[in-house]
PDB file of all heavy atoms in Angstrom:
ATOM      1  N   ASP B  17     142.236  93.436 130.288  1.00 77.00           N
ATOM      2  CA  ASP B  17     140.853  93.525 129.977  1.00 77.00           C
ATOM      3  C   ASP B  17     140.719  94.818 129.058  1.00 77.00           C
ATOM      4  O   ASP B  17     139.563  95.027 128.591  1.00 77.00           O
ATOM      5  CB  ASP B  17     140.090  93.874 131.313  1.00 77.00           C
ATOM      6  CG  ASP B  17     139.861  92.602 132.060  1.00 77.00           C
ATOM      7  OD1 ASP B  17     139.813  91.419 131.403  1.00 77.00           O
ATOM      8  OD2 ASP B  17     139.848  92.648 133.342  1.00 77.00           O
ATOM      9  N   THR B  18     141.765  95.533 128.898  1.00 79.00           N
ATOM     10  CA  THR B  18     141.619  96.790 128.109  1.00 79.00           C
ATOM     11  C   THR B  18     142.610  96.758 127.002  1.00 79.00           C
ATOM     12  O   THR B  18     143.675  97.435 127.131  1.00 79.00           O
ATOM     13  CB  THR B  18     141.768  98.072 128.990  1.00 79.00           C
ATOM     14  OG1 THR B  18     143.062  97.806 129.753  1.00 79.00           O
ATOM     15  CG2 THR B  18     140.618  98.304 129.914  1.00 79.00           C
ATOM     16  N   PRO B  19     142.401  96.030 125.981  1.00 79.00           N
ATOM     17  CA  PRO B  19     143.374  96.041 124.873  1.00 79.00           C
ATOM     18  C   PRO B  19     143.556  97.502 124.261  1.00 79.00           C
ATOM     19  O   PRO B  19     142.592  98.229 124.195  1.00 79.00           O
ATOM     20  CB  PRO B  19     142.702  95.135 123.821  1.00 79.00           C
ATOM     21  CG  PRO B  19     141.199  95.035 124.147  1.00 79.00           C
ATOM     22  CD  PRO B  19     141.213  95.215 125.688  1.00 79.00           C
ATOM     23  N   GLN B  20     144.747  97.806 123.969  1.00 80.00           N
ATOM     24  CA  GLN B  20     145.090  99.104 123.526  1.00 80.00           C
ATOM     25  C   GLN B  20     145.051  99.299 121.963  1.00 80.00           C
ATOM     26  O   GLN B  20     145.016 100.482 121.468  1.00 80.00           O
ATOM     27  CB  GLN B  20     146.504  99.537 123.956  1.00 80.00           C
ATOM     28  CG  GLN B  20     146.749  99.437 125.446  1.00 80.00           C
ATOM     29  CD  GLN B  20     145.869 100.395 126.272  1.00 80.00           C
ATOM     30  OE1 GLN B  20     145.774 101.605 125.882  1.00 80.00           O
ATOM     31  NE2 GLN B  20     145.209  99.901 127.234  1.00 80.00           N
ATOM     32  N   SER B  21     145.037  98.211 121.265  1.00 83.00           N
ATOM     33  CA  SER B  21     145.097  98.360 119.851  1.00 83.00           C
ATOM     34  C   SER B  21     144.248  97.186 119.147  1.00 83.00           C
ATOM     35  O   SER B  21     143.981  96.253 119.871  1.00 83.00           O
ATOM     36  CB  SER B  21     146.444  98.359 119.257  1.00 83.00           C
ATOM     37  OG  SER B  21     147.084  96.979 119.508  1.00 83.00           O
ATOM     38  N   VAL B  22     143.931  97.357 117.912  1.00 82.00           N
ATOM     39  CA  VAL B  22     143.116  96.365 117.262  1.00 82.00           C
ATOM     40  C   VAL B  22     144.060  95.058 117.232  1.00 82.00           C
ATOM     41  O   VAL B  22     143.601  93.894 117.506  1.00 82.00           O
ATOM     42  CB  VAL B  22     142.840  96.751 115.831  1.00 82.00           C
ATOM     43  CG1 VAL B  22     142.199  95.605 115.016  1.00 82.00           C
ATOM     44  CG2 VAL B  22     141.962  97.940 115.799  1.00 82.00           C
ATOM     45  N   ALA B  23     145.349  95.188 116.970  1.00 84.00           N
ATOM     46  CA  ALA B  23     146.253  94.047 116.874  1.00 84.00           C
ATOM     47  C   ALA B  23     146.243  93.287 118.232  1.00 84.00           C
ATOM     48  O   ALA B  23     146.156  92.091 118.202  1.00 84.00           O
ATOM     49  CB  ALA B  23     147.588  94.546 116.547  1.00 84.00           C
ATOM     50  N   GLN B  24     146.293  94.046 119.328  1.00 84.00           N
ATOM     51  CA  GLN B  24     146.242  93.305 120.620  1.00 84.00           C
ATOM     52  C   GLN B  24     144.916  92.668 120.863  1.00 84.00           C
ATOM     53  O   GLN B  24     145.056  91.433 121.348  1.00 84.00           O
ATOM     54  CB  GLN B  24     146.511  94.377 121.711  1.00 84.00           C
ATOM     55  CG  GLN B  24     146.694  93.709 123.073  1.00 84.00           C
ATOM     56  CD  GLN B  24     146.809  94.763 124.243  1.00 84.00           C
ATOM     57  OE1 GLN B  24     146.828  95.980 123.962  1.00 84.00           O
ATOM     58  NE2 GLN B  24     146.867  94.299 125.448  1.00 84.00           N
ATOM     59  N   ALA B  25     143.826  93.147 120.450  1.00 83.00           N
ATOM     60  CA  ALA B  25     142.644  92.530 120.671  1.00 83.00           C
ATOM     61  C   ALA B  25     142.526  91.206 119.816  1.00 83.00           C
ATOM     62  O   ALA B  25     142.043  90.230 120.315  1.00 83.00           O
ATOM     63  CB  ALA B  25     141.456  93.486 120.247  1.00 83.00           C
ATOM     64  N   ARG B  26     143.088  91.356 118.637  1.00 82.00           N
ATOM     65  CA  ARG B  26     143.037  90.118 117.809  1.00 82.00           C
ATOM     66  C   ARG B  26     143.956  89.029 118.438  1.00 82.00           C
ATOM     67  O   ARG B  26     143.534  87.778 118.468  1.00 82.00           O
ATOM     68  CB  ARG B  26     143.659  90.475 116.368  1.00 82.00           C
ATOM     69  CG  ARG B  26     142.552  91.103 115.557  1.00 82.00           C
ATOM     70  CD  ARG B  26     142.851  90.982 114.162  1.00 82.00           C
ATOM     71  NE  ARG B  26     141.734  91.588 113.418  1.00 82.00           N
ATOM     72  CZ  ARG B  26     142.023  92.611 112.436  1.00 82.00           C
ATOM     73  NH1 ARG B  26     143.200  92.806 112.003  1.00 82.00           N
ATOM     74  NH2 ARG B  26     141.014  93.182 111.834  1.00 82.00           N
ATOM     75  N   CYS B  27     145.122  89.420 118.817  1.00 85.00           N
ATOM     76  CA  CYS B  27     145.961  88.472 119.522  1.00 85.00           C
ATOM     77  C   CYS B  27     145.339  87.895 120.729  1.00 85.00           C
ATOM     78  O   CYS B  27     145.472  86.700 121.023  1.00 85.00           O
ATOM     79  CB  CYS B  27     147.334  89.015 119.905  1.00 85.00           C
ATOM     80  SG  CYS B  27     148.341  89.528 118.494  1.00 85.00           S
ATOM     81  N   GLN B  28     144.538  88.678 121.493  1.00 84.00           N
ATOM     82  CA  GLN B  28     143.999  88.213 122.670  1.00 84.00           C
ATOM     83  C   GLN B  28     142.915  87.202 122.339  1.00 84.00           C
ATOM     84  O   GLN B  28     142.785  86.136 122.916  1.00 84.00           O
ATOM     85  CB  GLN B  28     143.243  89.318 123.413  1.00 84.00           C
ATOM     86  CG  GLN B  28     144.267  90.222 124.145  1.00 84.00           C
ATOM     87  CD  GLN B  28     143.565  91.096 125.021  1.00 84.00           C
ATOM     88  OE1 GLN B  28     142.458  91.520 124.854  1.00 84.00           O
ATOM     89  NE2 GLN B  28     144.240  91.783 125.968  1.00 84.00           N
ATOM     90  N   ARG B  29     142.180  87.405 121.272  1.00 80.00           N
ATOM     91  CA  ARG B  29     141.125  86.379 120.900  1.00 80.00           C
ATOM     92  C   ARG B  29     141.796  85.144 120.406  1.00 80.00           C
ATOM     93  O   ARG B  29     141.358  84.064 120.843  1.00 80.00           O
ATOM     94  CB  ARG B  29     140.335  87.005 119.675  1.00 80.00           C
ATOM     95  CG  ARG B  29     139.097  87.760 120.098  1.00 80.00           C
ATOM     96  CD  ARG B  29     138.238  87.915 118.936  1.00 80.00           C
ATOM     97  NE  ARG B  29     137.844  86.678 118.231  1.00 80.00           N
ATOM     98  CZ  ARG B  29     137.439  86.562 117.058  1.00 80.00           C
ATOM     99  NH1 ARG B  29     137.330  87.621 116.229  1.00 80.00           N
ATOM    100  NH2 ARG B  29     137.142  85.350 116.510  1.00 80.00           N
ATOM    101  N   LEU B  30     142.757  85.214 119.699  1.00 82.00           N
ATOM    102  CA  LEU B  30     143.620  84.034 119.302  1.00 82.00           C
ATOM    103  C   LEU B  30     144.053  83.258 120.406  1.00 82.00           C
ATOM    104  O   LEU B  30     143.930  81.972 120.548  1.00 82.00           O
ATOM    105  CB  LEU B  30     144.708  84.353 118.416  1.00 82.00           C
ATOM    106  CG  LEU B  30     144.373  84.624 116.928  1.00 82.00           C
ATOM    107  CD1 LEU B  30     145.634  85.027 116.053  1.00 82.00           C
ATOM    108  CD2 LEU B  30     143.731  83.291 116.283  1.00 82.00           C
ATOM    109  N   TYR B  31     144.654  84.035 121.445  1.00 85.00           N
ATOM    110  CA  TYR B  31     145.237  83.377 122.642  1.00 85.00           C
ATOM    111  C   TYR B  31     144.208  82.684 123.489  1.00 85.00           C
ATOM    112  O   TYR B  31     144.375  81.534 123.787  1.00 85.00           O
ATOM    113  CB  TYR B  31     145.931  84.404 123.473  1.00 85.00           C
ATOM    114  CG  TYR B  31     146.645  83.865 124.642  1.00 85.00           C
ATOM    115  CD1 TYR B  31     147.766  83.005 124.447  1.00 85.00           C
ATOM    116  CD2 TYR B  31     146.290  84.142 125.900  1.00 85.00           C
ATOM    117  CE1 TYR B  31     148.371  82.436 125.587  1.00 85.00           C
ATOM    118  CE2 TYR B  31     146.842  83.651 127.064  1.00 85.00           C
ATOM    119  CZ  TYR B  31     147.867  82.789 126.904  1.00 85.00           C
ATOM    120  OH  TYR B  31     148.582  82.233 128.007  1.00 85.00           O
ATOM    121  N   LEU B  32     142.958  83.310 123.614  1.00 82.00           N
ATOM    122  CA  LEU B  32     141.931  82.631 124.380  1.00 82.00           C
ATOM    123  C   LEU B  32     141.524  81.446 123.669  1.00 82.00           C
ATOM    124  O   LEU B  32     141.194  80.440 124.299  1.00 82.00           O
ATOM    125  CB  LEU B  32     140.850  83.746 124.531  1.00 82.00           C
ATOM    126  CG  LEU B  32     141.159  84.877 125.627  1.00 82.00           C
ATOM    127  CD1 LEU B  32     139.980  85.804 125.560  1.00 82.00           C
ATOM    128  CD2 LEU B  32     141.428  84.241 126.948  1.00 82.00           C
ATOM    129  N   ALA B  33     141.310  81.585 122.431  1.00 79.00           N
ATOM    130  CA  ALA B  33     140.884  80.358 121.588  1.00 79.00           C
ATOM    131  C   ALA B  33     141.926  79.206 121.820  1.00 79.00           C
ATOM    132  O   ALA B  33     141.493  78.073 122.025  1.00 79.00           O
ATOM    133  CB  ALA B  33     140.745  80.731 120.188  1.00 79.00           C
TER     134      ALA B  33
END
Side-chain angles (χ1 to χ4, degrees):
Chain B
D17 287 330
T18 50
Q20 304 296 314
S21 65
V22 176
Q24 187 183 356
R26 280 202 182 129
C27 291
Q28 285 188 340
R29 269 196 54 203
L30 278 178
Y31 182 65
L32 286 175

